[in-house]
């Protein structure tokens, strides 16, 4: 048998090349099961699974593994080599950081969000305005400063200094009893009555329904979060991941996002 193979090297080479070509064709055109791992900002927890289901309806066999956390945590995971196909964060700062390091493709903005102050339905601290956050004994919970919603909170408080006095933000921050790792954790503390108030995204307040009461922020002090999405360069399903990114930017997915309270992506 060995002598037979050696006797026909040209045929062997042709067969080998043919087999490789056939294998590659099968891989690129396969419609079999595929799984996408999506690392997404915690504020997307109520909408991305819905968008994933819609995507699967158009791409039978595709399943998803969603991992939701603060965008700073997601960024660290990708930097440390975590296996992922798509990154969807709540801050362009982190999207630009990952792109600059060559870890994700050029990020595209796909929606926006804004902040709101939430209190428990019973409102035990009797908070009726943003000024009340300076009252002694108030238990305020916020996200940590490296978490997008936490940095946006600091921006909002700084903007309110012009209305309530130069020391307003310092007085409010003195009432912070905990700094959470993501917006969902902030919301949970308020819903459970473990905090008198917390800053979250409007979308989180909307999803929480009657389990919290919302106090809106003045437009001049508002902070707008722009969400970037991109394919992770180390993805083993980059083609499919790219299709999902495109789908998130498509009208059906945009409708889901806007129904949940997200704003459209910036036009420029």
């Amino acid at each position: 048998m060995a002598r037979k193979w050696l006797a026909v090297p040209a045929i062997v080479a042709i067969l080998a090349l043919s087999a490789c070509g056939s294998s590659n064709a099968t891989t690129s055109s396969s419609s079999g099961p595929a799984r996408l791992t999506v690392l997404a900002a915690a504020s997307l927890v109520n909408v991305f699974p819905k968008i994933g289901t819609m995507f699967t309806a158009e791409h039978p066999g595709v399943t998803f593994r969603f991992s939701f956390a603060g965008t700073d945590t997601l960024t660290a995971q990708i930097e440390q080599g975590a296996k992922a196909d798509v990154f969807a964060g709540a801050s362009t700062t982190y999207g630009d950081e990952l792109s600059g390091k060559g870890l994700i493709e050029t990020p595209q903005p796909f929606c926006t969000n804004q902040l709101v102050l939430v209190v428990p339905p019973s409102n035990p601290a009797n908070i009726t305005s943003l000024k009340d956050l300076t009252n002694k004994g108030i238990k305020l919970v916020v996200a940590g400063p490296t978490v997008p919603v936490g940095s946006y909170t600091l921006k909002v408080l700084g903007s309110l200094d012009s209305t309530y006095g130069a020391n307003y933000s310092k007085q409010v921050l003195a009432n912070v009893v905990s700094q959470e790792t993501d917006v969902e954790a902030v919301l949970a503390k308020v819903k459970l009555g473990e905090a008198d108030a917390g800053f979250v995204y409007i979308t989180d307040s909307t999803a929480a329904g009657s389990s919290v009461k919302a106090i809106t922020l003045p437009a001049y002090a508002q902070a707008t979060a722009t969400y970037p999405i991109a394919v992770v360069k180390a993805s083993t399903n980059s083609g499919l991941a790219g299709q999902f990114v495109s789908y998130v930017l498509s009208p059906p997915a945009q409708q889901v996002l806007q129904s949940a309270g997200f704003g459209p992506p910036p036009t420029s």
Side-chain angles (χ1 to χ4, degrees), residues 7-260:
V8 286
I11 295 175
V12 173
I14 292 171
L15 289 174
L17 288 172
S18 175
C20 289
S22 175
S23 175
N24 289 339
T26 300
T27 300
S28 62
S29 62
S30 174
S31 59
R35 189 185 196 190
L36 288 178
T37 297
V38 179
L39 303 187
S43 49
L44 297 167
V45 68
N46 294 308
V47 290
F48 258 37
K50 294 178 182 178
I51 294 174
T53 298
M54 293 164 60
F55 182 82
T56 297
E58 296 187 10
H59 301 78
V62 176
T63 59
F64 286 87
R65 175 183 174 270
F66 291 103
S67 179
F68 299 98
T71 304
D72 58 333
T73 298
L74 303 178
T75 299
Q77 289 173 349
I78 293 175
E79 291 174 339
Q80 292 165 12
K83 293 183 178 180
D85 301 298
V86 175
F87 164 79
S91 168
T92 56
T93 298
Y94 288 108
D96 292 342
E97 176 183 325
L98 290 172
S99 178
K101 292 180 177 180
L103 297 174
I104 63 173
E105 301 292 347
T106 302
Q108 301 179 69
F110 68 96
C111 69
T112 54
N113 212 342
Q114 293 189 320
L115 272 63
V116 67
L117 180 71
V118 292
V119 300
S122 60
N123 195 9
N126 193 31
I127 297 171
T128 59
S129 73
L130 295 167
K131 180 66 172 67
D132 294 333
L133 293 179
T134 62
N135 295 343
K136 291 184 178 181
I138 293 292
K139 294 183 293 183
L140 178 66
V141 61
V142 298
T146 62
V147 184
V149 70
S151 64
Y152 297 137
T153 296
L154 293 176
K155 181 178 180 180
V156 165
L157 293 176
S159 297
L160 290 170
D161 281 347
S162 61
T163 298
Y164 299 121
N167 292 322
Y168 170 79
S169 58
K170 291 182 180 179
Q171 292 175 334
V172 172
L173 291 174
N175 284 331
V176 172
V177 294
S178 69
Q179 295 184 343
E180 303 302 322
T181 57
D182 60 50
V183 71
E184 286 295 303
V186 174
L187 182 65
K189 290 251 179 167
V190 176
K191 289 169 66 175
L192 293 172
E194 297 177 5
D196 296 320
F199 284 95
V200 301
Y201 292 117
I202 289 175
T203 53
D204 297 289
S205 173
T206 300
S210 61
S211 61
V212 295
K213 287 183 178 180
I215 297 175
T216 58
L217 310 183
Y220 74 87
Q222 186 60 262
T224 298
T226 298
Y227 287 53
I229 189 169
V231 174
V232 177
K233 285 194 174 181
S235 169
T236 56
N237 291 300
S238 58
L240 190 62
Q243 291 181 52
F244 179 69
V245 168
S246 295
Y247 188 77
V248 170
L249 293 163
S250 72
Q254 287 293 303
Q255 181 59 51
V256 172
L257 287 162
Q258 291 175 33
S259 294

